[in-house]
Amino acid sequence: MVSECNWQNASVLLDRSLVTPCINSPTDRPTSPTPSLLPLVFNHNKMAEFQSGQHPYVNQLLWAVPVMAGFVAIRHAIRLHKLFSSIGYLPGDKTLIGPGSILGLLLPYIPFVNRGSSFTFRYNYDIFKKYNRDIISFFSFYPFPYWFDVHVADAGVAREITSNRIAFPKPIHVYKPINIYGTNVVTSENEEWKLHRRITAPSFSERNNRLVCEEGVRIVSELFELWAKQGNESRVEIEDAVETTAQFALMAIAAAGFGARFTWDDDQKPPNGYTFTFQKALNVVMSNIFYRIAFSDRILSLWQKGRDVRDAFNDFKNYMSDMIETRKQQAEEDRRADLLSNLIAGAALENSEMETTSQHSFGDDELVGNVFIFLFAGHETTAHSLAFTLALLSVHQDVQQKLYDSLISIVTEGKQPTYGDIVRWSYGLAVIYEALRLYSPVPAYPKHAAEDYNVVTYSNDGKNTPIPVSIPKGTHILINIAGLHYNPKYWKDPHDFRPERFMGDYNRDAFFSFAAGPRSCMGRRFSETEALTFLAVLVLNYRFEGTPLNEQETVEERNARLLRWKMGSLTLYPEKLPLTLVRR
């Protein structure tokens, strides 16, 4: 039933000159106990006046809308003028939707509308060449109030930015979503980061690198044994080598990271209280991080895959907690040289010396958080860079042969490669680096301007004209790795696969796959040893090429197919990599 108050309000809102209630007082209302919507009778003369545009409200509306739109346009124009003038009208790419939004990540590349998630690699250096400078801007109207980045493909400026942690700190808010289990060395800053760095950096020791090599040899050898059991040892066809390198990287980091040895065919059952085996839990965790970041447990519980993700992340934490407790009970001399043991020892030493007034601590949550970040940061990047290496070697058979020749000159005949062999295998490392240069899994490295700063870049038209660039406080900065890696100032014929360029002098500031400065990748040698070991054992025993799609496919078409790439939620990877391996 409509109350007296609502009745009067309705009359005011609808305007008595336009709409007149047919019941004018409470006494006129029907006394039926059933509530009903009160009919309204329009004054037809007034309504006709309204519809014809002669009513004063219509005239007011007709001029008010464009005036308001004009005010909004002027306001945005002023803001844009201030924004672009603050950076000296630095030229660059402009689109409606930016990559910093869910919409920008979900939509494909649409010219002038959306760049897509893989825009840095798709543009590589061409976008810098277009604007004749090695620092440009990227602007989008959405997300509001505008998305604005400064992209750097200048090696000298990149070094200057990454080495100055005061002026250009890490944008920690970008990494907070991966703080799933606890604060870690990636998601911390300032004094807290120094604490994490002191404890975690020594974990990546020569003893641990040696362990990486030993475990890597064992894992690949077990893969060969599996092929032999399947009766196809002399000729093996792999449907997608990306899956093979992903499984190897997971097994390697599990063994050298926290002493867990997995098999290529996980046929075990989970222990009581767990949904998955440790191996299966790790596989689910590493493959579905985006779901864990994006959705709460309540939403994940709505469908089966979501429940698997939820349970796998819970299982992983419980497995790690059990491992940590077991390691703490072991005598130090009985512990292996894996990362977890090194972390526990480092944390115990640090906590014994830490002042009671310290604002930061390093407990079990931080241990699990750092182990997780080692997995998160090291698994996909190593797996996908290895996959691109295999793709390039399949296309360039001459380089593959040279790689084999260089290896047999180091490894003792009839023996497996040792850590000493891996360390001396310079051409193998050059091949890995060249694959990383061409297909860096991580396309950009973010920084944040904490203060106004001025840098100087140069034109790329051959004249090398100095171009001053102002970077105002608050600016988002991306070291554009694809731009750096394809910049012809630093790399002759940058699109060519030429490992020899890493055998001599090269501009190390222009090679950014492991970042640079104080926050560069501390697991670099771990990753290099892991990749080199896999490559050495494989090349020593097999030669390989891309599997033809059909008899009609030409060599050129096959090579182009093998090098097709996709951008995942985090890293770049080969679209699909079918390989045929023949025993040497």
Side-chain angles (χ1 to χ4, degrees):
M1 184 177 289
V2 181
S3 67
E4 182 67 27
C5 179
N6 286 341
W7 177 261
Q8 292 173 353
N9 289 341
S11 298
V12 173
L13 291 172
L14 294 172
D15 191 318
R16 293 182 186 276
S17 66
L18 288 177
V19 182
T20 305
C22 68
I23 300 175
N24 294 316
S25 70
T27 58
D28 293 330
R29 299 176 192 169
T31 58
S32 169
T34 304
S36 61
L37 179 65
L38 297 176
L40 300 178
V41 178
F42 287 84
N43 183 316
H44 292 291
N45 291 334
K46 292 291 185 181
M47 196 63 189
E49 181 181 317
F50 187 85
Q51 293 173 340
S52 67
Q54 297 176 2
H55 193 277
Y57 284 3
V58 176
N59 294 329
Q60 292 172 10
L61 188 64
L62 290 175
W63 67 260
V65 170
V67 169
M68 291 179 64
F71 277 128
V72 172
I74 291 172
R75 180 186 176 192
H76 281 278
I78 292 172
R79 292 181 66 179
L80 288 174
H81 171 71
K82 289 181 178 179
L83 173 64
F84 286 110
S85 64
S86 68
I87 59 165
Y89 290 93
L90 184 68
D93 191 59
K94 298 174 180 62
T95 56
L96 290 176
I97 302 171
S101 65
I102 297 296
L103 190 60
L105 293 174
L106 294 178
L107 287 177
Y109 167 65
I110 305 171
F112 307 109
V113 176
N114 186 52
R115 297 186 192 100
S117 59
S118 60
F119 75 97
T120 53
F121 191 78
R122 187 178 61 253
Y123 291 160
N124 57 65
Y125 189 70
D126 293 342
I127 192 74
F128 294 91
K129 189 174 181 180
K130 176 181 177 181
Y131 294 105
N132 190 30
R133 62 195 64 212
D134 288 345
I135 298 179
I136 61 174
S137 63
F138 280 79
F139 172 83
S140 301
F141 287 95
Y142 179 82
F144 301 114
Y146 316 129
W147 181 269
F148 183 80
D149 286 328
V150 169
H151 282 237
V152 177
D154 183 307
V157 174
R159 180 186 65 248
E160 185 176 352
I161 288 174
T162 54
S163 61
N164 191 336
R165 289 183 55 241
I166 304 301
F168 299 102
K170 191 173 187 175
I172 294 301
H173 66 278
V174 174
Y175 297 89
K176 284 300 181 184
I178 58 175
N179 237 356
I180 296 173
Y181 294 111
T183 309
N184 53 72
V185 71
V186 171
T187 62
S188 57
E189 185 58 292
N190 299 322
E191 293 304 316
E192 188 176 25
W193 170 77
K194 291 178 181 178
L195 169 65
H196 282 262
R197 180 84 180 187
R198 283 197 304 271
I199 295 173
T200 57
S203 301
F204 295 95
S205 61
E206 278 300 292
R207 284 186 64 207
N208 184 248
N209 292 336
R210 187 178 297 277
L211 179 63
V212 171
C213 178
E214 293 169 356
E215 292 293 341
V217 170
R218 176 189 61 81
I219 293 166
V220 182
S221 298
E222 288 178 358
L223 177 61
F224 295 168
E225 292 172 6
L226 179 63
W227 290 343
K229 289 179 182 178
Q230 295 170 346
N232 53 3
E233 181 184 15
S234 59
R235 182 181 177 86
V236 183
E237 290 192 3
I238 300 176
E239 186 176 344
D240 189 1
V242 178
E243 296 178 1
T244 305
T245 58
Q247 183 66 12
F248 165 77
L250 188 68
M251 294 171 70
I253 200 169
F258 31 83
R261 286 187 167 183
F262 298 155
T263 60
W264 284 94
D265 50 345
D266 182 20
D267 55 357
Q268 299 178 351
K269 293 183 179 180
N272 292 334
Y274 290 89
T275 305
F276 300 107
T277 63
F278 189 29
Q279 182 171 352
K280 180 62 176 177
L282 265 182
N283 268 309
V284 176
V285 166
M286 290 297 102
S287 303
N288 298 278
I289 292 175
F290 176 79
Y291 288 98
R292 176 70 281 179
I293 292 173
F295 303 120
S296 65
D297 280 351
R298 180 175 295 181
I299 295 177
L300 289 173
S301 301
L302 297 177
W303 78 106
Q304 185 57 51
K305 182 175 181 178
R307 289 191 289 273
D308 288 345
V309 172
R310 177 201 62 194
D311 294 343
F313 272 84
N314 290 337
D315 280 358
F316 173 78
K317 183 173 183 179
N318 292 332
Y319 277 120
M320 292 309 306
S321 297
D322 290 345
M323 283 186 183
I324 289 171
E325 192 58 37
T326 301
R327 296 293 176 86
K328 285 182 177 179
Q329 303 304 320
Q330 287 180 337
E332 190 169 343
E333 59 270 16
D334 295 334
R335 295 176 186 168
R336 302 177 76 211
D338 58 60
L339 295 179
L340 181 59
S341 295
N342 294 343
L343 276 174
I344 291 173
L349 178 62
E350 182 70 29
N351 288 333
S352 67
E353 298 175 351
M354 190 179 297
E355 297 179 6
T356 55
T357 56
S358 175
Q359 297 179 351
H360 308 293
S361 61
F362 200 99
D364 288 357
D365 286 345
E366 286 73 27
L367 280 171
V368 176
N370 278 286
V371 169
F372 171 73
I373 212 65
F374 293 160
L375 280 165
F376 175 74
H379 172 248
E380 269 199 10
T381 51
T382 302
H384 293 166
S385 62
L386 253 180
F388 277 120
T389 304
L390 297 182
L392 287 162
L393 290 172
S394 299
V395 170
H396 300 274
Q397 289 290 317
D398 56 331
V399 178
Q400 186 182 149
Q401 182 61 44
K402 186 173 181 179
L403 186 68
Y404 172 72
D405 293 340
S406 67
L407 182 61
I408 61 175
S409 68
I410 297 172
V411 179
T412 304
E413 186 176 357
K415 300 291 186 179
Q416 294 281 27
T418 64
Y419 180 60
D421 298 332
I422 294 300
V423 170
R424 292 188 294 132
W425 195 26
S426 57
Y427 192 70
L429 188 61
V431 168
I432 295 287
Y433 279 2
E434 181 68 343
L436 280 169
R437 185 188 68 81
L438 288 169
Y439 297 96
S440 182
V442 180
Y445 182 68
K447 296 296 270 184
H448 178 78
E451 58 188 52
D452 294 339
Y453 203 89
N454 296 313
V455 296
V456 177
T457 188
Y458 298 88
S459 65
N460 51 39
D461 55 3
K463 299 179 181 178
N464 224 29
T465 306
I467 302 172
V469 177
S470 297
I471 302 178
K473 180 180 179 180
T475 301
H476 299 288
I477 302 166
L478 283 176
I479 308 299
N480 193 308
I481 298 177
L484 271 173
H485 286 187
Y486 283 85
N487 191 331
K489 290 182 180 178
Y490 315 119
W491 313 102
K492 183 180 179 181
D493 301 321
H495 291 271
D496 293 350
F497 179 57
R498 191 183 299 164
E500 288 74 16
R501 69 175 89 239
F502 285 97
M503 296 294 287
D505 292 333
Y506 64 94
N507 190 328
R508 282 163 171 74
D509 295 325
F511 181 62
F512 224 84
S513 290
F514 297 97
R519 300 203 66 144
S520 60
C521 177
M522 66 174 65
R524 177 172 182 166
R525 285 298 300 161
F526 186 107
S527 176
E528 291 173 353
T529 304
E530 181 185 345
L532 283 168
T533 302
F534 176 90
L535 200 59
V537 180
L538 181 67
V539 170
L540 201 60
N541 292 275
Y542 286 90
R543 61 177 178 83
F544 51 92
E545 62 182 10
T547 305
L549 190 63
N550 50 53
E551 293 181 358
Q552 289 73 38
E553 186 181 43
T554 65
V555 173
E556 291 75 16
E557 290 172 339
R558 181 185 64 188
N559 291 344
R561 174 172 54 84
L562 293 174
L563 294 176
R564 286 180 192 152
W565 53 268
K566 290 183 69 175
M567 188 68 200
S569 56
L570 299 169
T571 58
L572 195 76
Y573 64 95
E575 189 175 275
K576 191 173 184 179
L577 187 57
L579 296 181
T580 299
L581 291 74
V582 179
R583 190 87 188 195
R584 293 189 187 275

